[in-house]
Amino acid sequence: MTGKRRMIRKWGMTLVGLVMLVAGPAMAAPKQIVADLSNSRVDITSSYHGTELLLFGAYEGMPGDDIILVVQGPATDIIQRRKAKRAGIWVNVETKVWQEAPSFYHVFATDSLPSIADEEALSNATVSPLAGGLTFIADRDDAANGHGGGEKPASSGPAIAGDPEQQNNLRRNMEANGLWQVLPSSIVTQQDMLFRASLSLPSNIPTGDYSVRVLHFRDGVALSERTTDMNVRKAGLSALIYRFAHDYSALYGIFAIIFAVASGWLAAVAFRRK
Amino acid sequence: MYIYLPIAEVSMHIGIIIGLGGGVGFLSGLFGVGGGFLMTPLLIFFGIPPAVAVSTEANQIVASSVSGVLAHMRRGNVDFKMGAILMIGGVIGSTLGVALFSFLRDIGQIDLVIQLSYVVFLGIIGALMLTESLRTIIRSRKPGAVRGKLHQHNWLHGLPLKMRFRRSKLYISAILPLGIGAFVGILAAIMGVGGGFIMVPAMIYLLGMPTSVVVGTSLFQIIFVTANVTLLQSIQTQTVDFLLAGLLLFGAVVGAQFGSRAGALLRGEQLRGLLALLVLAVCLKIGYDLVVRPEDLLSVELRR
């Protein structure tokens, strides 16, 4: 693992050097920022157990400037349930469906977020999983019927639904499973010109199209922003099995049964004469 | 080495998967049970989503039942006619069970129903087995013990649609095995088990089948019930993880061989007593999880 990390770092620094050369002329324009990922495609193969990507780039900075990096996954419905004690046992009693919420939201920064900018500036720059606006339906039946998700509530509520406590509960739940995260002081800068961050992606990462946004902050104000795309997808054997199971589900089931019958029969034959 | 399970969407160490297969396989070989009642809770404990655990375990039980039934067929210990009636009931029951499972999952209560079914049925069966085996152990120490009648006649034998089951030496209503098959089928689909631990006592005490054909016939019908669950879950919920089932299977096949060899060293009632303790332990663990306050009362799940 350390070997791999070292390799990534070494390779990353070479790339950063290259970016410097390429980005040289661009940096003459004011408040420019350029960034790239060591790999814009994450393949979830059978041996996938989380991975590390290197994000690097160049910006026209001054001492005291900050960089914030937001890795955001595809929007999805988040089903939140609350347990309560009923007849002596803990039972789910309430369901809330947060609609079109980011399935993945990792924030990296050169410092802690409050010391970079105030809440309003961060919110204006949409540096919060809730900043894009979030609504929920707290109806049990909607949770039951809304398979596939996507339907909006009849009345359009406020941009961010719920009181701060409900929002914090969602945050806490999503941070507990590692899908939302804020990592302060996780970006390294050099000479107010170069930056790099090591993005470690967890093993339970949702698949789909991601955006990686880089923001340049000075005195609590976002000066410039750059977005790079990233794609997370199943690949190899795991993609094959997944596609088979979803596209030809009946055939998949029959195949699974035949495989089980054959291996059960083989096992019986193999161990018959001991 | 970690392996990413494509349907469960969880990365798991391959040693844990094969170890689970081997350990549960050993116990199932030792006690002559399918082991679903151990494997499904263990898979959930290791972070496999409950729906995937139940469906995948059904797929694995198909294999272990096939390999088990072959040995019983060679000895002629399968009542195919009875097995077919139980199977019809079982296919109907498990179809209902899969539908019920999807419904409960959608309203967010599947975990609770799985846990409650485990506590109730493992509790009843475990307690019955434990008292029975203790009684046998105590009785075997007293000389001159009398054996009871093969089976009693009661109102159940007055039902219509009577059929003759030669291999089981029975002349009973087909409604009875159909009903038992259906009931166990529902449980099998919801609990991710073959249901042998309920089927076998039901066959002995309710149907009055001779013990020699009970296990073989139970295994025979379990193949069809679990195959039905595998197929229906594949079509409706896509939760059968073929890779996980294959790896578990590999461990289980080897483990079962060692288990059955170890089982030959112990007496029947001792084995049943130990199995009863194991069943009760699983029941208590799951029951404890239900009554103890969860760390966080709120939980989230992404909709797929």
Side-chain angles (χ1 to χ4, degrees):
Chain A
M1 204 63 214
T2 48
K4 191 181 162 195
R5 201 179 280 248
R6 204 180 308 125
M7 203 184 74
I8 287 175
R9 184 154 302 161
K10 201 169 150 191
W11 183 49
M13 286 319 290
T14 319
L15 285 170
V16 169
L18 277 172
V19 168
M20 266 178 74
L21 288 175
V22 176
M27 277 159 63
K31 297 164 194 165
Q32 277 289 339
I33 184 164
V34 290
D36 200 7
L37 277 170
S38 60
N39 208 338
S40 64
R41 210 179 69 196
V42 176
D43 285 343
I44 300 184
T45 59
S46 290
S47 58
Y48 179 80
H49 182 60
T51 188
E52 258 181 72
L53 293 180
L54 186 91
L55 185 124
F56 53 88
Y59 66 114
E60 194 190 358
M62 273 171 33
D65 283 7
D66 285 295
I67 301 286
I68 293 180
L69 172 63
V70 179
V71 183
Q72 182 169 354
T76 187
D77 287 354
I78 299 173
I79 304 165
Q80 189 178 38
R81 297 199 172 91
R82 189 173 64 82
K83 277 191 159 67
K85 203 164 194 175
R86 294 279 185 274
I89 54 173
W90 292 92
V91 186
N92 286 328
V93 291
E94 194 192 339
T95 305
K96 199 178 270 165
V97 182
W98 296 85
Q99 301 202 305
E100 300 287 304
S103 56
F104 185 90
Y105 205 94
H106 281 199
V107 179
F108 300 79
T110 42
D111 204 340
S112 73
L113 290 187
S115 61
I116 293 176
D118 60 26
E119 219 158 283
E120 203 190 330
L122 288 175
S123 182
N124 287 339
T126 64
V127 183
S128 157
L130 308 172
L134 217 54
T135 55
F136 66 71
I137 30 178
D139 191 342
R140 201 175 249 289
D141 293 294
D142 281 303
N145 302 327
H147 239 336
E151 77 242 82
K152 291 271 180 277
S155 63
S156 59
I160 304 173
D163 52 45
E165 195 196 336
Q166 291 175 319
Q167 293 165 15
N168 280 336
N169 285 339
L170 177 65
R171 232 184 252 269
R172 186 187 68 238
N173 276 165
M174 290 301 284
E175 280 173 8
N177 60 26
L179 293 176
W180 290 5
Q181 228 70 147
V182 177
L183 300 134
S185 309
S186 50
I187 299 180
V188 183
T189 57
Q190 271 177 14
Q191 294 139 19
D192 301 314
M193 207 154 63
L194 297 175
F195 64 89
R196 65 181 158 84
S198 172
L199 319 182
S200 74
L201 304 178
S203 63
N204 62 342
I205 191 168
T207 52
D209 289 324
Y210 281 64
S211 72
V212 180
R213 280 190 298 138
V214 189
L215 300 108
H216 177 190
F217 274 83
R218 179 176 298 164
D219 303 326
V221 180
L223 292 181
S224 55
E225 181 178 333
R226 176 63 66 116
T227 304
T228 316
D229 291 334
M230 186 176 89
N231 181 255
V232 178
R233 51 163 215 180
K234 293 192 171 79
L237 182 64
S238 69
L240 196 73
I241 293 177
Y242 186 86
R243 286 263 63 91
F244 187 21
H246 283 258
D247 297 346
Y248 306 95
S249 50
L251 204 63
Y252 177 89
I254 291 166
F255 182 75
I257 294 167
I258 292 173
F259 176 81
V261 170
S263 45
W265 178 77
L266 261 175
V269 172
F271 288 101
R272 191 171 168 180
R273 300 170 249 281
K274 51 153 193 159
Chain B
M1 191 184 107
Y2 281 87
I3 188 145
Y4 183 84
L5 303 167
I7 304 294
E9 302 192 318
V10 168
S11 166
M12 219 170 151
H13 198 281
I14 196 163
I16 292 177
I17 304 177
I18 293 178
L20 275 178
V24 174
F26 179 84
L27 293 172
S28 70
L30 181 64
F31 297 123
V33 294
F37 76 92
L38 279 173
M39 187 63 95
T40 304
L42 279 170
L43 288 177
I44 295 172
F45 177 77
F46 276 98
I48 304 291
V52 178
V54 165
S55 309
T56 303
E57 187 49 18
N59 188 19
Q60 195 221 311
I61 295 170
V62 173
S64 54
S65 305
V66 166
S67 94
V69 84
L70 289 172
H72 287 278
M73 273 168 64
R74 275 197 296 274
R75 288 183 226 122
N77 288 344
V78 180
D79 183 337
F80 288 103
K81 192 171 173 188
M82 180 66 86
I85 301 287
L86 287 167
M87 178 194 94
I88 294 167
V91 168
I92 295 168
S94 55
T95 304
L96 285 173
V98 171
L100 192 59
F101 189 98
S102 296
F103 170 73
L104 290 168
R105 190 165 78 137
D106 287 344
I107 63 166
Q109 299 299 352
I110 189 61
D111 296 18
L112 176 72
V113 175
I114 292 176
Q115 286 171 311
L116 282 178
S117 322
Y118 269 88
V119 170
V120 170
F121 290 101
L122 293 185
I124 294 172
I125 299 296
L128 287 176
M129 275 196 317
L130 190 64
T131 48
E132 193 270 345
S133 65
L134 285 177
R135 206 174 291 150
T136 314
I137 290 171
I138 293 163
R139 198 187 295 147
S140 68
R141 302 221 167 119
K142 291 187 204 152
V146 213
R147 210 178 169 280
K149 270 172 87 176
L150 196 63
H151 61 270
Q152 250 92 46
H153 280 262
N154 53 35
W155 65 272
L156 289 172
H157 294 84
L159 291 169
L161 269 173
K162 285 211 165 201
M163 277 176 99
R164 193 168 296 283
F165 299 95
R166 285 182 201 289
R167 190 66 196 77
S168 299
K169 302 189 185 72
L170 283 175
Y171 181 62
I172 54 165
S173 164
I175 293 171
L176 206 52
L178 263 178
I180 292 172
F183 178 71
V184 178
I186 294 175
L187 288 182
I190 288 178
M191 296 170 69
V193 295
F197 70 98
I198 295 170
M199 184 59 88
V200 167
M203 288 163 123
I204 296 173
Y205 298 112
L206 292 178
L207 299 179
M209 285 170 69
T211 42
S212 59
V213 296
V214 158
V215 175
T217 310
S218 165
L219 282 173
F220 172 76
Q221 72 93 33
I222 284 173
I223 297 171
F224 297 94
V225 170
T226 49
N228 186 43
V229 173
T230 305
L231 183 62
L232 292 177
Q233 291 284 24
S234 296
I235 294 171
Q236 291 176 17
T237 58
Q238 292 98 35
T239 47
V240 177
D241 198 310
F242 177 66
L243 198 58
L244 178 59
L247 289 169
L248 287 174
L249 200 72
F250 176 75
V253 163
V254 178
Q257 295 305 316
F258 287 102
S260 59
R261 257 162 246 186
L265 305 173
L266 289 167
R267 297 233 308 271
E269 59 268 25
Q270 291 172 328
L271 277 175
R272 282 202 298 280
L274 285 174
L275 176 59
L277 289 177
L278 186 67
V279 166
L280 286 175
V282 176
C283 162
L284 287 176
K285 160 78 178 113
I286 295 170
Y288 175 77
D289 290 346
L290 275 174
V291 292
V292 79
R293 186 191 164 90
E295 243 175 74
D296 195 336
L297 295 181
L298 291 163
S299 61
V300 288
E301 183 192 342
L302 300 191
R303 177 171 286 162
R304 287 165 204 275

